[in-house]
Amino acid sequence: MNNFWIILWHTYSSKIKTKSFIITTLITLVLIIGLTNMTKIIDVFSGDEQGEKVAVIDQSGELFAPFKEQMKTIDKDVQLQLFEGTEEEGEKAVKNDEYKGLLILSQDNEKLPEASYKARSIADSTLPGTLQQGLQQIKTQAAATQINLTQEQLGKLYEPVAFSKTALEENAKTEEELNQARGLVYVLLFVIYFAVIMYANMIAMEVATEKSSRVMEILISSVSPIKQMFAKILGIALLSLTQMAAFLLIGYFFVKQNLETMEGGFFEFFGFGDIPVQTIIYAVVFFILGYFLYATLAAFLGSLVSRIEDVQQMITPMTILIIAGFMIAMVGLGQPETTFITITSYIPFFTPMLMFMRVGMLTLPAWEPLLGIVILLITIVVLAIFGARVYKGGVLMYGKTNSFKDIKKALQLTKNK
């Protein structure tokens, strides 16, 4: 058992000291700090800006004043300036970066407003869209005046229809709870997806690296291959927990620091204002089970290759399974109750993401997520037993890799030992 712990701590310590791990962790931490301080960063860069200046030529002589007032209610950062020169002079001013764009206002035969917008590039659709929105409201008011509609009548005409949704099932989630859960599950699904795919690949690479350097031949003389496999899986698991803990602690610290500026908007939309404890528990459980499921699979797949270059080819089917589960979960966010989503949530390789998505989005009876957990545990045990046998023979195989035909060879080597 001492050899088991030696391999575990060696795997953990050697990986945590690598430059790639340190750089990746630091870059991710910087991104987390940036996202949690996004409001302050935007304020720093926009503090000295005076908004986007747009030159306006009013050929009608009466549209500029109401249009400017309308734009103040839509976007205060857009600064409209009446341009007294010709259209050619306005175009030249835009080319010289004096203005962001040139807006030419005019009226059609029915005395309704129309406009043309000119800029150095029209790749940015945000500003023209904002200007068009303001002009559309001016046109609506002008048309209402022509047909003698009052402001009250106009308001009723454009007032959204009252449409409410009510769930009849007992304990069903409200629309507000669903919207909050959808954002939270969306973010946590990304965490589960990237973590599982990254750390599973790391295990496969670790095994393949030792085989390619012939270190495995020395190791198997002192430690059984089964102990090696689980020592590496747990070593990478400990590494992932260390990295995740750093991410969560830094993220939590800066979220608490900026809680007031995060209220509403993005923070509230993604459901971080009131995270249900049950959802967090299920996220942790399905993350750990998903990790061990794919980690065991990656370990014995990595044992079948003799060169690091062959690792990606060997684990491609596993990667496709992870991507397929993630894509189905993304579709299921909009339709979590469909039969297809329900059935696939019990397929072990999809359960970590799909069952978690259903738990977060729906009010399920307790037996459904528990059944998913039991299915995952049984699959992990079966895969571990089978994987250990493949690993035991696979670590002794060298030479050209013949994809999954090597599994049969590995099993034969295990029987002969």
Side-chain angles (χ1 to χ4, degrees), residues 26-43:
L26 290 176
I27 291 174
T28 307
L29 288 175
V30 170
L31 289 175
I32 292 173
I33 294 171
L35 288 173
T36 51
N37 290 274
M38 186 60 68
T39 305
K40 291 182 178 179
I41 294 172
I42 292 174
D43 291 340

Side-chain angles (χ1 to χ4, degrees), residues 64-76:
F64 178 73
F67 179 62
K68 186 175 182 179
E69 289 300 316
Q70 187 66 50
M71 287 302 300
K72 288 181 180 178
T73 62
I74 297 175
D75 191 343
K76 295 180 180 180

Side-chain angles (χ1 to χ4, degrees), residues 37 44 48 79 86 108 223-224 244 251 286 291 366 369 377 410-411:
N37 290 274
V44 168
D48 297 330
Q79 293 188 356
T86 62
D108 59 15
V223 186
S224 69
M244 286 292 177
F286 283 112
Y291 166 80
L377 288 171
L411 290 172

Side-chain angles (χ1 to χ4, degrees), residues 54-59 63 86-88 91 102-107 114-118 135:
V54 178
V56 180
I57 297 178
D58 185 7
Q59 295 179 344
L63 289 174
T86 62
E87 187 174 332
E88 290 76 14
E91 292 176 2
L102 173 66
L103 184 69
I104 303 171
L105 298 175
S106 59
Q107 292 178 327
E114 58 183 12
S116 63
Y117 178 76
K118 299 182 179 181
L135 195 64

Side-chain angles (χ1 to χ4, degrees), residues 180 267-268 270-275:
Q180 188 180 58
F267 188 69
E268 185 176 339
F270 277 100
F272 296 116
D274 184 20
I275 302 177

Side-chain angles (χ1 to χ4, degrees), residues 302-367:
S303 70
L304 296 174
V305 301
S306 301
R307 301 183 306 164
I308 299 176
E309 295 82 0
D310 297 330
V311 172
Q312 290 302 322
Q313 177 185 348
M314 183 60 72
I315 66 173
T316 295
M318 181 192 74
T319 306
I320 291 173
L321 280 175
I322 300 173
I323 294 173
F326 178 74
M327 296 304 294
I328 295 172
M330 289 294 102
V331 174
L333 282 173
Q335 299 175 312
E337 295 179 299
T338 57
T339 305
F340 173 73
I341 298 296
T342 302
I343 293 173
T344 51
S345 68
Y346 292 104
I347 298 175
F349 293 104
F350 300 149
T351 300
M353 284 181 276
L354 293 184
M355 187 59 76
F356 168 67
M357 181 271 297
R358 292 183 64 225
V359 168
M361 294 295 298
L362 305 173
T363 304
L364 298 179
W367 67 265

Side-chain angles (χ1 to χ4, degrees), residues 215-230:
V215 173
M216 194 65 70
E217 295 176 356
I218 301 173
L219 287 174
I220 59 175
S221 63
S222 56
V223 186
S224 69
I226 297 175
K227 286 184 179 179
Q228 290 177 44
M229 185 178 81
F230 286 104

Side-chain angles (χ1 to χ4, degrees), residues 165-167 169 171-182 361 363:
K165 292 183 282 185
T166 305
E169 288 188 8
N171 298 323
K173 293 186 177 181
T174 64
E175 185 178 3
E176 182 181 353
E177 289 173 333
L178 280 173
N179 289 334
Q180 188 180 58
R182 186 174 289 110
M361 294 295 298
T363 304

